[in-house]
Amino acid sequence: MDRIFSGFLLSVLLLFQDHGIDGASPQPRGALCRTRPTDLVFIIDSSRSVRPNEFEQVKVFLSQVIESLDVGPNATRVGVINYASTVKNEFSLRTHWTKANLLQAVRKIKPLSTGTMTGLAIQFAINRAFSDSEGARVRSPEINKVAIIVTDGRPQDSVKDVSARARSLGIELFAIGVGRVDKNTLRQMASEPLDEHVDYVESYSVIEKLATKFQEAFCDLSDLCASGDHDCQQICVSTPGSYTCACKEGFTLNSDGKTCSACNGGSAIDLVFLIDGSKSVRPENFELMKKFINQIVDSLDVSDKNAHVGLVQYSSSVRQEFPLGRYNNKKDIKAAVKKMSYMEKGTMTGLALRHLTEKSFDPSSGARPGVPKVGIVFTDGRSQDYISDAAKKAKDSGFEMFAVGVGNAVEDELREIASEPVATHYFYTADFSTINKIAKELPTKICAEEDPCECKAIVKFQQKDLAWESLKCTAIFSLNSCLLEAVTKRIAALENKII
């Protein structure tokens, strides 16, 4: 019998492998969109503060962005300026016409390892990199001119006026800051709106995660749903030049026309947020974290009988902001979240997980017997204490644990916190400014039923008597939008019943 099921499951896996999760072959990004014709110049800081291994990570970021482009004389042209105390034109817009040659040229770039003359580098881009002689095309609505500036320090010259001049000439400026960069400098350089043109990461080790943003930014597609340029939490429905939002079965579209209520129809849940308030988060990012919490609260059916929400903040110590059941409506919860003050200090994630297990989900703190318990842990750095035992105890206690990391969060720690399957319980983003995207996706996981895709793959077993020889197995498959996990769980459950 084991051999029958092993072969049967292998067939299922091969079918998914051949056809993709939804029954269709996986599509490369290029099938969804083409990049707009662009004259793109990278302006990269290789001053002495950028260590050699960090500079290599910048090159990985450049390569990932280039990989997503349609490169060619009539498509996107790419140049790279390398700067420190001086400026070096690594290659111009007319040097390489193929993606392979561009990637090879990026690999050969070496750091200059002197000062930080960012203003001088931008001036060089205006005077030379974006000149006709270096391959720049005549300014027109069909051709974008874009410069992506990557820096990790305070410039030794002025950037404000020269950046304004670049923008007035039609050059769109993106500013990426790393580590101890002066954020005011980033804002002086970048084009408007600043929230779309300024990015910050805690270290070079995560800069490559910003590549996706630029892959999407250069995408030219009128289908906003396919390009991902929409605010729908669950389902985007394309219309000519626009879109509308919809929800999966069992969810309801909220009044904002974008988000979905995930826990309707009397679904009770005890949900506790475990929020990192360490000093590395910084005050402005702590405010974004509070918006993240309230975005998820908006998706819940909060009431006395349905969803209850608690909030715990931690740093070197743990502080309960409010327990489960104190507030029975979204308005009061969101108001309490907004009033939460920032603790700062260290990052004792293990201590916080123990508090969650021993106190937050205890009936004395408002937890309801028999109601599903969900914990959402949000952190931006490595824990200063041991988390393994506490994380295991939380999951062994039957709590469904979600881990959300940003910036310098350690992905191995996030996976250790997350419940199985880890892929649906673990989230990471390089920058606090993009955590709203996680807040859109997370509620669909919190209240999903065991088989949310209503899988059409059905395995029916008809047993007319107890003898194995009379066991009849009929397998009916329709793999058109079914999750692999749901199939395997169903098979395992039925096998256990038979044995």
Side-chain angles (χ1 to χ4, degrees):
M1 191 63 194
D2 289 340
R3 288 194 297 271
I4 293 173
F5 270 91
S6 297
F8 175 63
L9 181 56
L10 178 61
S11 300
V12 176
L13 294 171
L14 290 172
L15 279 167
F16 276 107
Q17 186 178 33
D18 290 341
H19 298 289
I21 293 293
D22 59 358
S25 298
Q27 294 296 313
R29 184 182 167 277
L32 290 177
C33 67
R34 293 181 60 82
T35 54
R36 294 186 292 271
T38 301
D39 288 346
L40 170 62
V41 175
F42 291 96
I43 304 174
I44 55 174
D45 177 357
S46 68
S47 57
R48 65 176 61 92
S49 62
V50 184
R51 298 182 179 93
N53 65 308
E54 294 174 335
F55 192 71
E56 291 302 310
Q57 290 164 334
V58 175
K59 288 159 62 176
V60 170
F61 163 73
L62 266 61
S63 298
Q64 288 180 338
V65 175
I66 291 169
E67 283 277 15
S68 70
L69 302 174
D70 297 316
V71 175
N74 298 317
T76 295
R77 304 179 183 184
V78 179
V80 174
I81 295 171
N82 183 10
Y83 78 93
S85 295
T86 58
V87 179
K88 182 181 179 183
N89 191 32
E90 295 290 349
F91 52 85
S92 68
L93 294 169
R94 62 179 170 81
T95 306
H96 301 295
W97 298 130
T98 68
K99 195 177 298 185
N101 287 345
L102 280 171
L103 295 172
Q104 185 177 16
V106 168
R107 286 194 290 270
K108 293 179 179 179
I109 299 174
K110 304 295 182 184
L112 301 175
S113 300
T114 51
T116 311
M117 300 293 285
T118 309
L120 182 66
I122 297 171
Q123 187 65 57
F124 183 94
I126 295 172
N127 294 344
R128 183 170 172 184
F130 283 106
S131 67
D132 295 346
S133 63
E134 292 298 314
R137 288 164 284 192
V138 177
R139 180 180 176 184
S140 73
E142 289 75 34
I143 306 294
N144 294 334
K145 296 191 179 297
V146 176
I148 300 176
I149 305 164
V150 182
T151 183
D152 80 332
R154 185 184 296 273
Q156 295 170 325
D157 57 354
S158 175
V159 301
K160 185 176 180 180
D161 292 341
V162 70
S163 298
R165 184 180 171 212
R167 296 192 298 267
S168 70
L169 293 172
I171 301 172
E172 186 178 9
L173 296 178
F174 290 87
I176 299 175
V178 183
R180 296 184 178 181
V181 68
D182 177 33
K183 292 186 179 180
N184 185 53
T185 298
L186 300 180
R187 290 189 285 269
Q188 288 179 358
M189 292 189 293
S191 298
E192 295 284 349
L194 293 179
D195 61 348
E196 295 179 9
H197 291 82
V198 175
D199 287 284
Y200 172 79
V201 291
E202 293 283 349
S203 69
Y204 281 103
S205 64
V206 293
I207 190 172
E208 64 187 77
K209 296 181 184 293
L210 290 177
T212 303
K213 167 185 173 173
F214 291 98
Q215 291 166 357
E216 294 173 353
F218 295 132
C219 181
D220 184 19
L221 189 65
S222 59
D223 186 344
L224 300 179
C225 292
S227 68
D229 189 17
H230 62 83
D231 294 322
C232 298
Q233 184 183 58
Q234 291 190 1
I235 299 173
C236 180
V237 181
S238 292
T239 60
S242 186
Y243 65 90
T244 58
C245 300
C247 299
K248 298 176 184 177
E249 187 172 347
F251 296 81
T252 303
L253 190 68
N254 292 325
S255 58
D256 61 7
K258 300 174 182 178
T259 62
C260 301
S261 291
C263 299
N264 286 325
S267 297
I269 183 175
D270 284 348
L271 170 63
V272 175
F273 290 94
L274 202 60
I275 301 301
D276 181 352
S278 60
K279 61 185 176 184
S280 61
V281 172
R282 302 184 182 181
E284 64 271 23
N285 292 331
F286 191 71
E287 293 303 310
L288 293 175
M289 198 185 300
K290 284 153 62 168
K291 290 180 180 179
F292 167 86
I293 296 169
N294 282 342
Q295 191 175 342
I296 293 176
V297 169
D298 272 332
S299 72
L300 303 173
D301 182 14
V302 178
S303 67
D304 183 53
K305 293 183 178 179
N306 295 332
H308 286 191
V309 177
L311 176 60
V312 173
Q313 184 185 171
Y314 72 94
S315 59
S316 297
S317 58
V318 178
R319 184 173 76 199
Q320 179 177 264
E321 301 293 344
F322 54 84
L324 290 163
R326 173 172 291 179
Y327 305 112
N328 290 323
N329 62 75
K330 296 179 186 180
K331 181 180 178 181
D332 289 346
I333 292 173
K334 291 167 68 176
V337 171
K338 288 178 181 177
K339 292 178 182 177
M340 177 172 54
S341 61
Y342 179 31
M343 291 177 71
E344 298 190 66
K345 298 186 180 179
T347 311
M348 302 292 282
T349 309
L351 179 65
L353 286 167
R354 287 193 293 275
H355 183 280
L356 182 80
T357 304
E358 297 168 5
K359 297 182 179 180
S360 297
F361 286 132
D362 189 82
S364 64
S365 295
R368 295 168 290 179
V371 172
K373 307 292 188 292
V374 176
I376 300 178
V377 181
F378 193 116
T379 182
D380 86 322
R382 181 183 296 275
S383 177
Q384 294 173 330
D385 62 350
Y386 188 63
I387 71 163
S388 295
D389 290 345
K392 183 177 185 300
K393 185 175 180 181
K395 292 180 285 188
D396 288 348
S397 298
F399 309 150
E400 186 173 13
M401 300 298 296
F402 292 87
V404 180
V406 64
N408 284 334
V410 178
E411 297 192 50
D412 285 345
E413 289 186 356
L414 298 177
R415 294 188 186 98
E416 194 165 11
I417 293 169
S419 293
E420 294 288 347
V422 172
T424 60
H425 289 80
Y426 146 77
F427 302 84
Y428 175 83
T429 182
D431 190 357
F432 273 93
S433 65
T434 59
I435 60 176
N436 62 311
K437 294 182 180 179
I438 296 176
K440 288 181 193 177
E441 184 180 357
L442 189 51
T444 67
K445 313 289 186 184
I446 294 172
C447 298
E449 294 179 2
E450 207 168 298
D451 187 6
C453 70
E454 294 188 347
C455 179
K456 302 299 181 187
I458 304 168
V459 183
K460 294 182 179 179
F461 294 95
Q462 299 174 337
Q463 186 175 358
K464 293 187 176 180
D465 55 54
L466 295 176
W468 284 112
E469 58 269 19
S470 65
L471 179 65
K472 296 182 179 180
C473 172
T474 306
I476 305 169
F477 286 92
S478 172
L479 299 174
N480 188 31
S481 56
C482 176
L483 299 175
L484 176 59
E485 179 196 353
V487 177
T488 54
K489 280 186 176 179
R490 180 66 172 155
I491 293 168
L494 289 168
E495 181 180 7
N496 289 335
K497 287 181 181 179
I498 294 169
I499 293 171

